[in-house]
Each structure stands twice: as structure tokens, then as C-alpha cells.
Amino acid sequence: MFEFSERLKQLPPYLFAELDRKKQEKLAQGVDVIDLGVGDPDLPTPAPIVEEGKRALENPENHRYPSYVGKLAFREAVANWYKRRFGVELDPEREVIALIGSKEGIFHFPLAFVNPGDVVLVPDPAYPVYRIGTLFAGGEPYVLPLKEENDFLPDLDAIPEDVIKKAKIIWVNYPNNPTSAPPTLEFYEKLVDWAKKHNVIVASDNAYSEIYTGSQKPPSILEVPGAKDVAIEFHSLSKTYNMTGWRLGWAVGNEELVKGLGKVKTNVDSGQFGAIQDAGIKALSMPEEEVQKLRDVYAERKRIMTQALERIGLKVYRSDYTFYLWVKVPEGYTSAQFVGRLIDEAGIVCTPGSGFGEHGEGYFRISLTVPTERLLEASERIKSLKL
Ligand SMILES: *Cc1c(COP(=O)(O)O)cnc(C)c1O
């Protein structure tokens, strides 16, 4: 009787429906399924952050409507963290806004700057929200393929002139989900130049800046001189502090861009719960060793799983970034077919690359966010597969 809006009807079909069905079927048969599909850290939020959240819950000041843009103390904590981590100066009053998780801001951002018919340049494969946020804002996504031969960076020179003329925003995400490709300052410099020349907003999603397993720390695009003229960066506590359930992130950068996002949010939500922001302040002041422990865990898991996959002849994209492995599907299979085999024959759920866009076809993604014992079990099962 009630028809969904055109807005909802234009959304791509749910690509994981068949995979979900298979997983449920295996579970019903009593198979011990190991789910390496979802990128949601298994480890708990560090205790001092949880303690601060509990304390803050008791504070009556937090029981009233929060600030739309986030507590000044939280925005200051973000600015201080950016200064410490990236050497980037931010004005906490004008260049920082709190988000209810970065997904919220990423989705809402195009509503502030995109008119119907405007183009938004979105990478593929990618986190689906860049594309969906564009569609909901009435914009037209234009796909920038991320190819292995270009280290999964978009080829700016390949974007046609008429597309650039209509382009309002370009999305980038490094360290990259799903490919695990690293950012380089060189690329960011080129991107900022390009964006200034063509008057395009650069929206950078830096959710994985702290998830690295080598010695090179990923940069922020805001480290590029002049980046603040064109760029906004989205970030989050979710991955760095195992806080996906808390829903706290932020956007920083160009004042007008931050203001536009704030205008949308003022009309949509009423800000994140103050107690969660207090916990976030605590998180941002955590000693670096805490995050280093987490990196060490991911480094070990990455080693275990890479070895298992390579032992059966699969090609893993080697990277020191994110908690994902991006793996080539063997010859003769589509991503979905091979992922289907993994669940059928090994009880292991992975994400087919095609779920991240057409250019993800030919790969699958493994998330290292399950306890290490489970990952060892998964690696044993993989080693005994006959390809
Ligand atoms: C996990 C993730 C985020 C962070 O999402 P939150 O809403 O902050 O939990 C943002 N971008 C990408 C690419 C992610 O994978």
C-alpha cells in the first residue's frame, strides 16, 4: 500500500543478501562460522575511557540538550590531537565540529553543498556512504576507479573536462577501506592543487589514520600547505579506540565547509550526548602506548592471515595500513563465487570486492577484527583448502 520514495528505490540492491542467506544456512547446520566480513573491532574500549563515560553519565549537565556543534572542550581536544599528531593548527571554535560518528557527517555533508545535477566524484571500490549521501542530496556520483597498478589512487588526469566543470566534491579515503592502500603526501599535494584549480571541495575520510602496522604514520591532507582553502577531513574514534558503538566522530578543516555541515546538522539532529563527548576527550588524551598495543595485535593477525592465504597461492595486496586484507580472487571465479566457496567449504565469511563497487570485482576483503585464536582457526581452515 505504501510505496518507497524514488530516493529509496534508486538504491542499489543489497549485495550481501545471498551471502547472508548462506551464512544463516551454515549456522542452522551447526557449522562454526567465522565472520571476517564486518570491519568492527572485537577488542573492548580501553577501561579509562569507559570509566570516564560512567562518571560523565552522572553529571546532570550532560542530561540536557547538548551543543549542536559539540562541546567546546571536545572540539579543543580534537584540535590539540591534530596539532600533536599531524602538526596541523585548527581553531576549535570555527574549524572543528563534532559528529554522531563520522558516517553521519559523511552522509550529511553533500546536503550542504550539492545541488541537483552537481557531480560528486566518488572512488570505487569504496565505503558506500560517499555514493549514497550524494544520491540522497540529488547529486550525480561520478566513479573514480581505484586500480592496483595506480596503488589504488584515483587518476585525476583521466577525469573528463565536462565532468570537472560540474564537480562539486571529490571524496578520498586513505588509509583506504577496502583496499588498505596508503596515503601519500605527494598525492595529497597534487589533489589540493587540482582542487584549487577547478574549484572542487576535497572531502577526506581519515578514519584509519591510526591503524598502521609499519613505522610510517599516515598523514592528514591538512598537512599540505593551503589544504584548508579547499578541504574538510572526517575522522572518528571508532577504529582508533575500539569505539564503534559509541558513535563519536568529527570533521575539521575549511571554516565554510565546517559551517555548512553544521547548518545541516542543526536542522537534523541535536548533537551527540555530552557523556560520550567527555569519554571522547579522555580517549584523545590516551597515551600512545595504548593504541600501539592495538596496532601490535593487528600486525600479528595480518602476518598470520597473509601467510595462510599466500600458502594456498592467493595474492594479498601488501600494505601496512588498516585492519583489512585485500586479496585477489583466483582465476575463473567472480568475487561473489569465490566468497561463496569460502563459506561453503571453510565456514568463513568474507566480503566480495564487488560489494564495494564494480571496480572491486576480482578481489575480496578480509577483516582482521576477530579474536586472534579465531583467526588462527580460520587460517588453518584456509591452509587446508584445495584451490
Ligand atoms: C569505519 C569507517 C568509518 C567510521 O565510521 P563511524 O561512523 O565513525 O563509526 C568511516 N569511513 C570508513 C571508510 C570506515 O571504514
Side-chain angles (χ1 to χ4, degrees), residues 350-366:
C350 300
T351 312
S354 51
F356 300 100
E358 57 173 316
H359 297 278
E361 180 54 72
Y363 295 88
F364 65 99
R365 190 192 75 177
I366 285 182

Side-chain angles (χ1 to χ4, degrees), residues 276-339:
I276 288 177
Q277 296 185 56
D278 288 345
I281 294 170
K282 181 74 189 173
L284 289 168
S285 71
M286 290 289 283
E288 190 57 18
E289 299 85 79
E290 193 65 41
V291 190
Q292 189 52 45
K293 274 192 259 167
L294 185 65
R295 288 182 198 118
D296 293 343
V297 170
Y298 290 136
E300 188 195 14
R301 292 178 183 176
K302 194 172 279 187
R303 197 172 38 70
I304 293 168
M305 194 42 92
T306 302
Q307 195 194 34
L309 293 163
E310 290 182 344
R311 181 122 140 226
I312 61 163
L314 289 174
K315 207 171 147 277
V316 181
Y317 175 72
R318 289 292 192 126
S319 148
D320 286 337
Y321 302 92
T322 75
F323 44 57
Y324 302 113
L325 293 178
W326 189 238
V327 191
K328 266 220 134 100
V329 167
E331 204 76 33
Y333 292 91
T334 66
S335 305
Q337 283 166 345
F338 188 70
V339 163

Side-chain angles (χ1 to χ4, degrees), residues 15 53 87 130 138 150-151 172 179 201 210 217 234 237 249 257 268 290 305 313 358:
L15 273 158
Y130 316 130
N150 300 330
D151 295 313
V172 290
T179 68
I201 297 163
E210 302 319 293
K217 294 185 187 186
F234 293 80
L237 296 168
L257 299 179
V268 173
E290 193 65 41
M305 194 42 92
E358 57 173 316

Side-chain angles (χ1 to χ4, degrees), residues 237-266:
L237 296 168
S238 287
K239 310 293 159 61
T240 315
Y241 303 103
N242 303 324
M243 290 177 76
T244 48
W246 296 67
R247 313 310 305 133
L248 187 59
W250 63 83
V252 295
N254 180 275
E255 182 179 337
E256 287 304 309
L257 299 179
V258 169
K259 195 194 227 167
L261 177 57
K263 274 196 174 218
V264 174
K265 283 176 55 58
T266 311

Side-chain angles (χ1 to χ4, degrees), residues 99-157:
L99 299 172
I100 307 173
S102 59
K103 179 179 185 179
E104 179 262 302
I106 291 168
F107 177 84
H108 283 138
F109 183 63
L111 287 175
F113 294 96
V114 171
N115 289 311
D118 285 347
V119 164
V120 176
L121 304 168
V122 294
D124 177 335
Y127 188 57
V129 189
Y130 316 130
R131 183 188 181 86
I132 308 240
T134 301
L135 291 172
F136 272 49
E140 290 176 17
Y142 180 87
V143 163
L144 303 179
L146 304 186
K147 296 180 183 160
E148 188 158 359
E149 65 259 32
N150 300 330
D151 295 313
F152 299 110
L153 294 168
D155 182 359
L156 300 176
D157 302 324

